[in-house]
Amino acid sequence: MPNISIKDVKKVYEDASGNPVEAIKGIDLNIEDGEFVSIVGPSGCGKSTLLEIVAGLQRQTSGDVFIGDNPVTGTSRDIGVVFQDASLFPWKTIRRNILYGMEVAKVPRDEQERRFSQYIELMNLKGFEDKYPSQLSGGMRQRAGIARTLIMNPKVTLMDEPFSAVDHLTRCTLQEELVRIHQKEKKTVLFVTHDINEAVFLSDRVILLSPRPSVIQREYKINLPHPRSRSDDYLVHIASKIVADISRGAVELDNDYII
Ligand SMILES: Nc1ncnc2c1ncn2[C@@H]1O[C@H](COP(=O)(O)OP(=O)(O)O)[C@@H](O)[C@H]1O
Ligand SMILES: [Mg+2]
């Protein structure tokens, strides 16, 4: 049974004057239990729209999304979401931020503590538990945000450009940490990024969306076990293929505009 099933999802927005803006033309995608899938594509093609629909944060115009057997009708504890900005509560310590969801969910105290120590360790945040977000670097705040989501033990994790706001070296470290956690926990992940190298480094499969209104332009299966080397010939080859396919899409878009 696929863990995330996206069936013929379409999305039409309205612009400020009430004219329809077709963002997603039609997407069918099954993401298997435990699979790590990245969505890439040109800016404005509908990546975030698709992720928000899967997250239950906004409604598709037509089509269905299922997590296992359950249709997505709104946000749920089964679905963990991480955005570019960790948006931690600035007035709470890292510990209180990370525990917050479990407090709301009334998870027993000893279980909260057990999971907290596990994730503080996993996200390399030991020693920073009692600091406030403003006392941490951007990369550490993002790690705390990821811990806050994963600690809730969601069935699926959705991430929208989660590392875009951090510097290059931190980004590489965060990618490696994410791979390590995924190898350990084998949770289903849907990851949105505009960074092709990031997508091929992390994923079991990369989905390229066409320019808006988006359809799946192409899929790339990344048959390479972890840990991976960024300079692996196979990864470099797939990344350049994706870049070439994106520019082909863009050429078609330009032609459309010319017509
Ligand atoms: N709330 C909205 N109202 C109208 N148009 C929107 C809205 N959100 C996104 N769009 C449009 O839908 C398209 C896809 O946006 P988005 O999903 O954010 O793309 P991406 O994440 O791939 O950059 C864009 O053309 C964007 O301008
Ligand atoms: Mg986006």
Side-chain angles (χ1 to χ4, degrees):
M1 152 107 32
N3 209 324
I4 303 177
S5 173
I6 300 169
K7 293 180 193 279
D8 198 20
V9 162
K10 298 186 191 344
K11 178 72 184 184
V12 182
Y13 288 112
E14 276 188 7
D15 68 12
S17 348
N19 299 314
V21 178
E22 192 181 15
I24 299 177
K25 194 181 178 75
I27 290 183
D28 274 294
L29 178 64
N30 285 321
I31 300 169
E32 302 296 333
D33 196 352
E35 195 180 16
F36 193 123
V37 170
S38 287
I39 307 252
V40 299
S43 179
C45 74
K47 302 182 292 297
S48 296
T49 300
L50 183 64
L51 183 130
E52 285 169 20
I53 289 171
V54 176
L57 289 164
Q58 60 163 308
R59 198 69 200 150
Q60 61 273 29
T61 307
S62 65
D64 295 295
V65 180
F66 294 88
I67 307 289
D69 285 332
N70 304 318
V72 173
T73 53
T75 55
S76 124
R77 291 217 179 103
D78 288 348
I79 308 167
V81 192
V82 179
F83 292 106
Q84 181 174 330
D85 170 7
S87 20
L88 301 168
F89 299 121
W91 62 89
K92 286 181 188 277
T93 60
I94 294 307
R95 179 193 303 277
R96 300 254 67 88
N97 264 289
I98 294 177
L99 289 175
Y100 179 75
M102 291 197 292
E103 285 167 358
V104 172
K106 299 203 167 30
V107 172
R109 197 97 211 148
D110 53 345
E111 175 64 11
Q112 285 190 25
E113 282 308 320
R114 193 190 64 73
R115 288 202 225 166
F116 181 75
S117 345
Q118 181 194 348
Y119 277 93
I120 280 289
E121 193 85 46
L122 206 57
M123 295 313 296
N124 281 328
L125 285 167
K126 236 177 152 42
F128 295 89
E129 296 90 330
D130 298 316
K131 302 272 190 222
Y132 288 88
S134 62
Q135 297 173 293
L136 265 57
S137 67
M140 291 179 108
R141 281 200 291 273
Q142 200 57 4
R143 284 211 286 270
I146 293 170
R148 185 185 50 179
T149 299
L150 296 186
I151 207 167
M152 295 306 290
N153 205 13
K155 288 191 178 143
V156 302
T157 310
L158 313 180
M159 303 177 121
D160 191 351
E161 313 253 8
F163 307 143
S164 293
V166 296
D167 64 86
H168 180 72
L169 280 181
T170 307
R171 184 173 187 140
C172 292
T173 312
L174 290 175
Q175 289 166 355
E176 281 147 27
E177 278 164 0
L178 186 59
V179 166
R180 191 164 48 81
I181 294 169
H182 185 252
Q183 288 300 103
K184 205 161 162 223
E185 310 212 317
K186 287 287 177 205
K187 291 271 187 67
T188 311
V189 182
L190 178 60
F191 189 96
V192 163
T193 180
H194 62 259
D195 182 333
I196 309 303
N197 294 318
E198 177 170 81
V200 297
F201 178 69
L202 294 173
S203 314
D204 299 316
R205 191 154 50 112
V206 177
I207 309 292
L208 170 61
L209 298 189
S210 70
R212 184 177 72 79
S214 54
V215 292
I216 293 178
Q217 187 175 328
R218 199 156 187 175
E219 289 195 22
Y220 311 81
K221 186 104 184 100
I222 319 287
N223 282 316
L224 188 69
H226 292 284
R228 295 174 177 173
S229 154
R230 290 172 198 278
S231 52
D232 185 282
D233 284 347
Y234 173 71
L235 290 187
V236 172
H237 171 71
I238 296 184
S240 57
K241 207 165 148 51
I242 298 175
V243 171
D245 288 341
I246 290 179
S247 30
R248 250 198 295 287
V251 169
E252 281 160 22
L253 184 70
D254 286 347
N255 287 341
D256 284 345
Y257 282 146
I258 292 163
I259 292 161

